[in-house]
């Protein structure tokens, strides 16, 4: 089987080396390290990887700028990017996700967690973003979005239209963080009249109706929600 290629953009060599070692051992990937944003842009041009792990704290050309430049290029617009961010910089995380990063991991991170995120992103790297998900089948939750039917542990559950659309959007973007603003825009269809607080209320109700599957909807503090598959 062909190995996935991961480009690690990190100027701290110790960290970069650990990541490379972990991904090659546990994610079956082949990893290359570059120490600057500039080198990252060149490496992507030379040979586009399947995934980029991008540290935001880089000298000269910062990670956010690298992300922005890549997203503006036709050959890199859809390249999956996982950002490495400092715990204290929530605004960077938000900016990164808005620029189109797929996920983020907060430093200091566990290598196991990073490896799990990498595998999840690689699994879904045949991108389906905007295509409506026709359905979902998990351990507890089974949803047929075309038939508007949702069941948990074999029992049909009744959702309001809003809850149904919320579930569909989260499932469609599974394993990715979706901000409250994005949910308002996509599920409510307008963003000024409803407070982001009401997203929390709807998510809360949806979670409790989903019973055992409710915990698949994870709260990402300060950012939004993520449906975990
Ligand atoms: Ca760094």
């Amino acid at each position: 089987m062909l190995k996935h290629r991961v480009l690690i953009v990190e100027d701290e060599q110790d960290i970069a080396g650990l990541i490379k070692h972990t991904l090659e051992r546990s994610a079956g990937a082949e990893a290359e390290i570059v120490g600057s944003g500039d080198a990252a842009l060149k490496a992507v041009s030379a040979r586009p990887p399947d995934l980029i792990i991008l540290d935001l704290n880089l000298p000269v050309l910062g990670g956010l700028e690298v992300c922005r430049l890549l997203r503006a290029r036709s050959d890199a617009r859809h390249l999956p990017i996982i950002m490495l961010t400092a715990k204290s910089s929530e605004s960077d995380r938000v900016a990164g996700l808005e620029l189109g990063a797929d996920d983020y991991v907060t430093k200091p991170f566990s290598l196991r967690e990073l490896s799990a995120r990498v595998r999840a992103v690689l699994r879904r790297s045949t991108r389906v973003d905007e295509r409506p998900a026709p359905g979902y089948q998990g351990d507890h939750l089974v949803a047929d979005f075309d038939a508007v039917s949702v069941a948990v542990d074999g029992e049909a559950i009744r959702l309001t239209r809003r809850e149904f659309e919320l579930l569909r959007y989260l499932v469609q973007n599974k394993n990715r963080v979706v901000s409250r603003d994005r949910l308002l825009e996509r599920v409510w269809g307008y963003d000024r009249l409803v407070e982001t607080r009401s997203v929390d209320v709807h998510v809360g109700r949806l979670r409790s109706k989903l019973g055992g599957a409710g915990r698949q909807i994870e709260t990402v503090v300060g950012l939004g929600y993520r449906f975990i598959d």
Side-chain angles (χ1 to χ4, degrees), residues 7-27:
L7 180 66
I8 301 164
V9 189
E10 166 65 278
D11 57 316
E12 286 154 273
Q13 287 182 13
D14 293 356
I15 296 178
L18 274 174
I19 296 172
K20 177 176 161 73
H21 180 73
T22 302
L23 296 187
E24 292 188 337
R25 266 191 48 188
S26 68

Side-chain angles (χ1 to χ4, degrees), residues 92-105:
D92 279 357
R93 286 200 288 280
V94 174
L97 291 170
E98 279 170 358
L99 281 172
D102 295 78
D103 204 350
Y104 71 90
V105 174

